[in-house]
Amino acid sequence: MNLIITGACGHIGCNVTIEAIKRGHRVIGFDNLRRPDVLDNLRYLQQNYTKDQFEFVWGDVRNLYDIDRLPSTNIGGIIHLAGQCGIPESLRSSFYDFDVNARGTLNMLDFAHRIGNVPFAYASTNKTFSDITNIITTMETPDRYFWSDMNEPLDVLKVGLDWNGKQPIAVNENFPIAGFGKYGHSMYGISKLTGELYVQEYHCLYGMPTIINKKSCIFGLFQKGVEDQGWVSYFLLKIGFGDGKLNIFGTGKQVRDVLDARDVARLYIDEIEQIDKCDGEIFTVGGGPDNTYSLLEVIREIEKHTGKKAELTFKEKRNADQDIFISSLKRVNEVLGWKPKIKFEQTLKDMINEYSK
């Protein structure tokens, strides 16, 4: 089938494009190439695939006249990955962040509706849950935070957490998105949440087949990390191929569940191919409880594999930063049978090999 992928030259977009082509689909890649580094990804796609496999259309999701240059017939689905992904950037340029993430999503939904209500997969984020996660009872070791036993879990959080006895192990799709006037999402989280609500409304109002993935830490090949986003890639580039100097915002004990972009690419194509199974679903998507690392642990792994040392400067913790976020994979596994396959160490080796070229 023909698939439109927005943000096709970005880190996740490039991996999803490759996975789609591997399965015999034709991709129309839509990207504004705002970050210069993604030109390398575009060159890779154009050099390795024919025009019958990959067609590039330059354009910006904020502009209707750009979107209208996309093909409107024989489209099997839209995977909407284009977005402003940096939390600091969302503070510096809140109107731009909103225009890309909220208005851009509405623009693409309108296009999907106009061309026949085609299946629509939306890339969201765990930041839509706010830092209310930080009220979960937390302990720490020298290297990381971890959730400890909760004798009386708050009712507002109880159904949104997977439990192992009295201990939370993951955040699921039922976790509250409200900040209750006390907990921050970041401007980025709010704009992505706005996009989520529009996706759900198009599903309810027009019957559009939709799927939402609330993703945690995605990393891997084709990632061009900077300090504001893509932290694993940025750490690797600075330690293994740069001066080793890193700013750590907070203690560095913050924990995330990490997921290879090739695994998430499998999921996106599974969802489009099996939309009847997952239509209307909202999934939490990450590495899950079996693939968690703190910032400090990732730094040590990079040092071990590169033989180089990091020089760390600790700064004030960023607004709305979650001390721990671990995605529940129960629902997505139940519906689609999907789970991660690629371990952190393998991804890191593959990234080192890629960056060495």
Side-chain angles (χ1 to χ4, degrees):
M1 72 177 78
N2 293 316
L3 298 177
I4 292 173
I5 300 178
T6 70
C9 299
H11 161 227
I12 298 175
C14 197
N15 281 280
V16 175
T17 295
I18 292 169
E19 179 67 20
I21 294 171
K22 282 181 180 177
R23 298 201 201 179
H25 303 299
R26 181 174 184 270
V27 172
I28 298 96
F30 189 66
D31 203 301
N32 69 356
L33 306 177
R34 184 170 186 260
R35 288 181 57 188
D37 286 346
V38 302
L39 285 169
D40 292 338
N41 295 345
L42 174 59
R43 292 188 191 99
Y44 177 90
L45 294 171
Q46 290 179 325
Q47 290 170 3
N48 285 273
Y49 301 106
T50 68
K51 289 187 177 181
D52 290 334
Q53 296 171 306
F54 175 74
E55 175 189 352
F56 177 69
V57 178
W58 184 93
D60 195 307
V61 294
R62 295 174 297 167
N63 300 328
L64 293 176
Y65 50 84
D66 286 347
I67 294 171
D68 284 340
R69 290 189 291 105
L70 288 166
S72 58
T73 58
N74 299 317
I75 300 300
I78 295 174
I79 300 175
H80 181 45
L81 305 172
Q84 193 296 113
C85 302
I87 292 177
E89 179 66 16
S90 75
L91 294 173
R92 292 189 295 265
S93 306
S94 299
F95 289 97
Y96 171 77
D97 176 79
F98 179 86
D99 278 346
V100 175
N101 293 342
R103 189 185 303 277
T105 298
L106 179 58
N107 288 342
M108 290 306 305
L109 283 165
D110 177 70
F111 177 75
H113 178 56
R114 285 191 284 117
I115 66 172
N117 251 20
V118 301
F120 191 95
Y122 176 62
S124 192
T125 171
N126 63 296
K127 297 301 181 185
T128 59
F129 289 127
S130 87
D131 65 359
I132 195 174
T133 53
N134 292 345
I135 72 172
I136 302 171
T137 305
T138 302
M139 304 292 284
E140 62 183 289
T141 68
D143 295 325
R144 64 154 53 198
Y145 297 125
F146 63 94
W147 287 324
S148 60
D149 293 349
M150 294 179 68
N151 293 321
E152 296 182 4
L154 297 178
D155 288 341
V156 73
L157 303 183
K158 188 182 300 183
V159 299
L161 294 167
D162 294 349
W163 296 84
N164 179 8
K166 294 181 179 179
Q167 186 179 46
I169 58 173
V171 173
N172 66 43
E173 296 82 3
N174 297 313
F175 199 85
I177 57 174
F180 304 101
K182 299 177 182 179
Y183 309 102
H185 299 74
S186 77
M187 293 295 189
Y188 164 66
I190 290 296
S191 63
K192 295 298 287 186
L193 179 57
T194 302
E196 273 194 26
L197 294 173
Y198 274 118
V199 172
Q200 292 175 66
E201 198 63 23
Y202 268 71
H203 174 74
C204 294
L205 183 62
Y206 299 118
M208 181 182 292
T210 63
I211 182 72
I212 294 170
N213 293 318
K214 290 177 179 280
K215 299 194 299 296
S216 186
C217 172
I218 313 299
F219 76 119
L221 301 179
F222 304 103
Q223 191 168 32
K224 318 293 184 184
V226 295
E227 188 173 66
D228 284 4
Q229 64 183 89
W231 63 275
V232 177
S233 169
Y234 179 69
F235 285 4
L236 175 56
L237 288 168
K238 289 288 284 184
I239 298 170
F241 304 91
D243 59 14
K245 296 180 180 180
L246 292 173
N247 293 320
I248 302 298
F249 297 91
T251 64
K253 298 180 183 182
Q254 300 98 308
V255 168
R256 297 291 183 268
D257 58 326
V258 294
L259 177 65
D260 190 299
R262 291 169 290 190
D263 276 330
V264 83
R266 285 193 299 107
L267 175 61
Y268 273 109
I269 306 305
D270 286 350
E271 289 169 343
I272 294 294
E273 290 180 343
Q274 304 175 59
I275 191 64
D276 289 345
K277 288 184 179 180
C278 58
D279 184 12
E281 292 279 353
I282 302 173
F283 293 136
T284 46
V285 175
D290 295 332
N291 296 285
T292 68
Y293 287 82
S294 72
L295 276 63
L296 294 177
E297 289 169 341
V298 167
I299 288 168
R300 292 197 177 96
E301 285 294 313
I302 292 172
E303 289 176 333
K304 181 176 74 175
H305 284 87
T306 63
K308 298 182 180 180
K309 297 291 290 182
E311 181 182 331
L312 307 182
T313 300
F314 290 87
K315 297 194 172 186
E316 185 178 353
K317 181 182 175 182
R318 286 171 169 165
N319 180 59
D321 188 15
Q322 297 157 323
D323 290 336
I324 303 173
F325 192 89
I326 302 170
S327 307
S328 170
L329 305 183
K330 285 187 177 180
R331 184 60 182 165
V332 68
N333 182 259
E334 176 183 278
V335 174
L336 291 172
W338 176 91
K339 61 182 179 180
K341 292 182 177 179
I342 307 171
K343 293 297 185 182
F344 175 84
E345 186 170 298
Q346 182 59 56
T347 308
L348 190 60
K349 290 178 179 178
D350 292 344
M351 292 172 73
I352 291 170
N353 182 58
E354 177 187 45
Y355 294 156
S356 297
K357 294 179 181 177

